[in-house]
Amino acid sequence: MSLDQKYLEILKKDNFNEQDYIALNELAQILRHRILEVVSKNGGHLSSCLGSVELIIAMHCVFDSPNDPFIFDVSHQAYAHKLLTGRWDSFETLRQTNGISGFTKPQESNHDYFIAGHSSTSISLGVGIAKAFALNHSKNIPVVLIGDGAMSAGLAYEALNELGDRKYPMVIILNDNEMSIAEPIGAISKYLSQIIAGKFIQKIKSKVSNAFNKMPNATYLAKRFEESLKLITPGLLFEELGLEYIGPLNGHNLKELIGAFKLAKNLKKPIVVHTQTLKGKGYPYAEGHLEHWHGVSPFDMQKGVTLSQSSSKTPTQIFAQTLLEYAKQDSKIVGITAAMPSGTGLDLLIKHFPKRFWDVAIAEQHATTQASSLAKEGFKPFVAIYSTFLQRAFDQLIHDVGIMKMPVKFAIDRAGIVGEDGETHQGVFDIAYLKIIPNFTLFAPRDNATLKEAITFAKDFTDGPCAFRYPRKSFLLEDDRIQSTPFIYGKLEILQNAQSGILLIGYGNGVGRAIKTAQILKESNLECGIVDLRFLKPLDEISLQNLGQKYPYWFVFSDNVKIGGVGESLCAFAQQYNLSIKIHSFEFNDAFIPHGKTQEIETIMGIDPQNIATQILNITGKEDV
C-alpha cells in the first residue's frame, strides 16, 4: 500500500479543522505501522523514530520544506520525514545495499538538508543557515529538531551562545523523551511559558519599555515578575542565553504542536519549543527508556523478539566481561563511556561498580580529558568509545593525553566497516588519526581470545596511552582457531611460514581476512606466510627486517583506510631499511564507505577474500583462481 495523497494535501493547508486533526492522527498511525513494518525486516533505529512521528507531521504542517530547511540532529529519528517526502516505496530498501540511508541524505531528496550521523551539529548548522538567509534577505527560517541527549554535548551550547547574542530567527524543537518533569510543575510552566512567549506578553513588554522613563519602579517590578516566572520553568537556561522558550508541550498532541509551531514561526526570533515525547510510542514492546530498542536488528513485530541471535559472544561482551573480572581484582581500574553504555558493554561494569565506571553523556572530549587526570592520580582508566565517535576528541587525544603521556587505555569498539549505518559510522579512520600522535601505543587483537590478552596488556601498561581496536558483532577469525599468546610490547607473531616468498600481514580483524585469503590461495597450490602484526606502533623492526629477507611480496590486511593505514607504515619502514620488497595494501580506498550489509560492501569494494586472492595471483604472475 502507498500513502494516500489526501494526507499530503492536508499537510499543505494553512488552517485545520477537527476533521483534519482526525486525519493527521490517522496519518501518524499509518507512518508508525510503515516504520515498524520495514524496521522489523531490515533493522534500524526504532524507538526514537516512533516517538517523533507527530513532531515531524506538525513540522510539515507549519513549515515550508525544503525552503524552510529541516535539520535533524543525528537524524536517526527522521524516518517519518522520509515517508512524507516521496520515499514511501523506496523505504522498503532502508539501510540496504544501494537502498536509502538510515539518516538524512541530500543525495536522496532536497528535503534532506544535511547528512548527520553524529550528534549535536544541528544548531550550529541552523546558525549558519540563518546567517546566509540574513545576508540574502530571505524570509525563510531554519527548523532544528534536536533530542535532549544531544543537548549534553558542548557543540550545542557553543551554537546557542552565539544564537542568543545575534538573535537570528530560528526554531529549535527540543524533543525531550527522557526527562521527568512533575505533572503540576509541567502544567504550570507550560502555561506560563506560552504566556511569556505569546503576543500578549510581547505587547506588555513593549509598553513597559516605552514607559521606562516615566515609571522606573513599575518597570523594575515587571522585570522582576517576569524573571520570577522564568525561575519555575524548564526554559530558564534558554531564556538566560537570550532565546525565547515555549514548553514543555505534549509531543504527541498535534493540535498543540501545530499551534505552538505557528507561534514560534511568527515570532521571527530564535526560539526553543520544548516537547515531551515517549520513545517507542505506539509499539508497547519499545515504549519507554529501553536502550536496546534504540537501534535494532530484524525482529518479530508481533512478539517483539530478535529474529537471529548468535550464540557466540561478541567482542563487546568479551571486553566487558574480561574488564569486569579485572575490576573485581584491582580497585584502580575505572572506566568511561560517552552515551554508549550498552553499546560498549560498560553498562555491565556501571551496574557492578557505579562509583568507578561512568557514562558521561555525549561528551567524548570530556571523557578523554578526565581520563587523563584520573591516570595522573594513579588510576587505570579504560575509555570505551566507538571508533567513529572517538574522532570527535582528536584535540584532547593530542593535547590532554598524548603530550602528557598519560597511561589512558582506549578500547575502540566498532572498528572497521560497521555496515548498515554507513558513511557517518564506519570505523575506518582511528588507525590514521591515532598513529600520528607521539607517545601512543597501538595494538589489536585478531579474535575473542586475543582480545582478552589485549585487555590484560592494556591494564598493566604504564608507559603512556595505548589503544586497541575490535570490530562490531564478531571477528572474522573463529575463536580458538589459533592458540592465543600474551601480547609482548612491540612484538609480532608469525602464524604460518612458507617458501613461496608471499607474506600476508594482518592487523587486528585483518588477520582473519588474511587467513581466509590464504585458504583460497592454497587451493591454487600457493602457500603463503601469515603474520599477525599485533603492534602497529611500535613496529617489530627486527622481525620485519628478517621477514623482508625471506618474503619479497607483502600483502597487508587491516580494516582501515589506506591513507595513514598499516600499509603506509610498512612502506615507510621498508624504505627506511632499504628492503627490496613489494608491498600491496588491501585496506580501504580514499572514499567514504556507503551503507549496506558488511559482506556485500566488501565484495563491491573488492576486498572480500575471493577477490583478494584473485588480485594476489595476478600480481604475483599466477593464473586466476
Side-chain angles (χ1 to χ4, degrees):
M1 133 181 160
S2 59
L3 182 61
D4 193 322
Q5 288 298 307
K6 74 175 184 181
Y7 296 113
L8 298 179
E9 291 299 321
I10 293 174
L11 294 180
K12 298 176 183 177
K13 297 178 71 171
D14 291 328
N15 296 297
F16 303 92
N17 57 37
E18 288 303 316
Q19 291 303 311
D20 293 330
Y21 283 115
I22 291 172
L24 290 174
N25 280 299
E26 290 175 0
L27 174 60
Q29 302 316 308
I30 292 169
L31 295 178
R32 280 197 173 90
H33 179 77
R34 180 62 170 162
I35 291 169
L36 274 167
E37 180 182 52
V38 172
V39 174
S40 66
K41 290 187 294 185
N42 296 4
H45 292 94
L46 185 66
S47 59
S48 56
C49 283
L50 295 177
S52 61
V53 168
E54 284 86 2
L55 293 179
I56 290 170
I57 291 174
M59 287 165 64
H60 279 278
C61 285
V62 175
F63 302 100
D64 180 25
S65 174
N67 296 314
D68 294 330
F70 289 2
I71 308 103
F72 292 87
D73 207 284
V74 184
S75 79
H76 59 218
Q77 78 283 54
Y79 291 178
H81 169 73
K82 287 177 180 277
L83 291 169
L84 292 175
T85 52
R87 285 167 279 185
W88 182 275
D89 292 331
S90 60
F91 195 67
E92 196 75 33
T93 69
L94 179 73
R95 291 163 43 92
Q96 302 300 293
T97 305
N98 298 320
I100 67 171
S101 171
F103 301 98
T104 51
K105 196 169 186 178
Q107 293 93 322
E108 286 180 13
S109 170
N110 64 347
H111 290 276
D112 291 4
Y113 182 81
F114 223 81
I115 193 168
H118 292 184
S119 86
S120 314
T121 63
S122 60
I123 303 176
S124 291
L125 288 169
V127 170
I129 299 168
K131 287 180 177 178
F133 283 174
L135 291 170
N136 291 330
H137 307 289
S138 171
K139 294 183 179 180
N140 291 109
I141 185 168
V143 183
V144 165
L145 178 59
I146 183 170
D148 56 316
M151 293 297 293
S152 64
L155 181 59
Y157 296 95
E158 293 175 26
L160 286 172
N161 184 53
E162 184 183 15
L163 180 62
D165 179 54
R166 299 190 184 277
K167 309 294 185 186
Y168 294 112
M170 183 160 75
V171 175
I172 301 169
I173 302 165
L174 172 57
N175 179 18
D176 172 1
N177 52 30
E178 290 182 327
M179 298 178 190
S180 296
I181 300 174
E183 285 296 325
I185 299 298
I188 293 171
S189 66
K190 177 169 66 176
Y191 173 72
L192 294 177
S193 297
Q194 287 177 314
I195 289 177
I196 289 171
K199 292 180 180 179
F200 176 75
I201 199 66
Q202 299 301 321
K203 290 180 181 178
I204 292 294
K205 287 181 182 179
S206 177
K207 289 180 180 180
V208 168
S209 177
N210 291 336
F212 181 84
N213 291 328
K214 297 179 180 178
M215 302 177 63
N217 291 333
T219 302
Y220 171 76
L221 290 172
K223 286 181 178 291
R224 290 299 301 271
F225 176 69
E226 181 183 332
E227 288 170 2
S228 69
L229 296 183
K230 290 180 185 178
L231 286 174
I232 58 172
T233 74
L236 175 63
L237 171 64
F238 302 110
E239 297 273 8
E240 290 302 311
L241 284 170
L243 285 73
E244 299 290 340
Y245 173 86
I246 299 175
L249 308 174
N250 181 347
H252 302 297
N253 185 319
L254 279 163
K255 184 181 290 188
E256 189 173 321
L257 290 173
I258 290 171
F261 289 177
K262 284 184 175 181
L263 173 61
K265 181 180 181 180
N266 293 331
L267 280 175
K268 303 297 182 184
K269 295 179 180 180
I271 184 166
V272 173
V273 181
H274 180 182
T275 66
Q276 293 179 300
T277 60
L278 176 66
K279 281 186 174 182
K281 172 73 172 176
Y283 186 56
Y285 292 112
E287 285 187 345
H289 183 49
L290 300 171
E291 190 177 350
H292 66 273
W293 283 103
H294 172 72
V296 297
S297 300
F299 62 96
D300 184 318
M301 196 166 76
Q302 302 303 319
K303 299 179 180 178
V305 294
T306 303
L307 291 178
S308 58
Q309 290 182 324
S310 173
S311 58
S312 60
K313 292 181 178 178
T314 66
T316 300
Q317 291 171 324
I318 294 294
F319 165 73
Q321 291 168 1
T322 305
L323 189 60
L324 176 60
E325 291 307 310
Y326 282 131
K328 291 176 180 177
Q329 303 166 21
D330 187 347
S331 62
K332 291 296 184 180
I333 292 176
V334 296
I336 303 165
T337 189
M340 289 289 171
S342 66
T344 60
L346 224 61
D347 58 338
L348 178 65
L349 291 104
I350 292 171
K351 178 181 178 181
H352 282 81
F353 300 106
K355 294 183 178 180
R356 288 167 51 195
F357 292 85
W358 307 277
D359 175 8
V360 300
I362 304 175
E364 292 84 1
Q365 295 168 300
H366 172 51
T368 300
T369 296
Q370 68 171 272
S372 192
S373 54
L374 276 163
K376 187 173 175 62
E377 290 297 322
F379 288 89
K380 301 177 181 180
F382 279 79
V383 180
I385 297 180
Y386 294 3
S387 169
T388 185
F389 297 142
L390 182 59
Q391 65 202 31
R392 292 161 63 102
F394 182 66
D395 180 60
Q396 288 67 39
L397 290 166
I398 295 174
H399 186 271
D400 303 326
V401 179
I403 292 175
M404 289 291 291
K405 203 178 180 180
M406 288 292 106
V408 179
K409 299 91 170 56
F410 291 92
I412 305 175
D413 204 324
R414 305 313 199 260
I417 297 176
V418 299
E420 291 85 352
D421 282 338
E423 297 96 326
T424 59
H425 281 57
Q426 310 289 15
V428 298
F429 302 108
D430 58 272
I431 290 176
Y433 66 72
L434 288 174
K435 189 179 71 172
I436 63 173
I437 306 176
N439 295 329
F440 261 80
T441 293
L442 306 183
F443 58 106
R446 62 176 176 255
D447 55 18
N448 281 346
T450 53
L451 174 55
K452 295 178 183 178
E453 299 290 353
I455 297 164
T456 302
F457 176 86
K459 79 176 178 66
D460 295 325
F461 187 71
T462 59
D463 191 22
C466 65
F468 57 98
R469 70 196 313 254
Y470 44 95
R472 181 189 185 192
K473 292 185 178 178
S474 64
F475 285 95
L476 290 170
L477 191 61
E478 296 85 358
D479 286 346
D480 301 325
R481 181 183 179 86
I482 301 171
Q483 174 114 22
S484 65
T485 57
F487 278 78
I488 301 173
Y489 180 71
K491 294 297 180 182
L492 58 74
E493 185 176 8
I494 298 173
L495 303 181
Q496 179 174 297
N497 285 297
Q499 301 301 317
S500 65
I502 296 174
L503 182 65
L504 310 186
I505 301 178
Y507 181 68
N509 204 30
V511 176
R513 188 172 286 109
I515 289 174
K516 289 178 182 293
T517 301
Q519 291 170 346
I520 297 171
L521 290 171
K522 187 176 181 180
E523 294 172 3
S524 296
N525 299 315
L526 182 60
E527 286 279 355
C528 302
I530 304 174
V531 163
D532 179 353
L533 192 61
R534 288 203 150 192
F535 284 85
L536 177 60
K537 188 176 182 181
L539 289 170
D540 187 345
E541 296 187 354
I542 294 175
S543 296
L544 287 171
Q545 288 182 67
N546 292 334
L547 290 166
Q549 301 301 318
K550 183 177 181 180
Y551 298 97
Y553 286 98
W554 288 8
F555 295 95
V556 181
F557 301 76
S558 91
D559 290 344
N560 193 77
V561 289
K562 287 180 180 177
I563 296 177
V566 177
E568 273 196 3
S569 290
L570 293 175
C571 284
F573 168 80
Q575 184 180 33
Q576 179 182 352
Y577 289 97
N578 296 313
L579 299 179
S580 297
I581 54 177
K582 295 180 180 179
I583 300 177
H584 187 94
S585 170
F586 290 109
E587 295 167 287
F588 309 138
N589 291 326
D590 184 24
F592 289 106
I593 300 171
H595 66 270
K597 288 183 171 58
T598 299
Q599 289 184 338
E600 293 176 1
I601 294 299
E602 289 176 348
T603 300
I604 292 170
M605 295 169 62
I607 57 166
D608 60 291
Q610 186 68 49
N611 265 312
I612 291 173
T614 301
Q615 293 177 61
I616 290 175
L617 289 170
N618 286 334
I619 291 168
T620 57
K622 305 292 183 180
E623 294 183 359
D624 289 352
V625 174

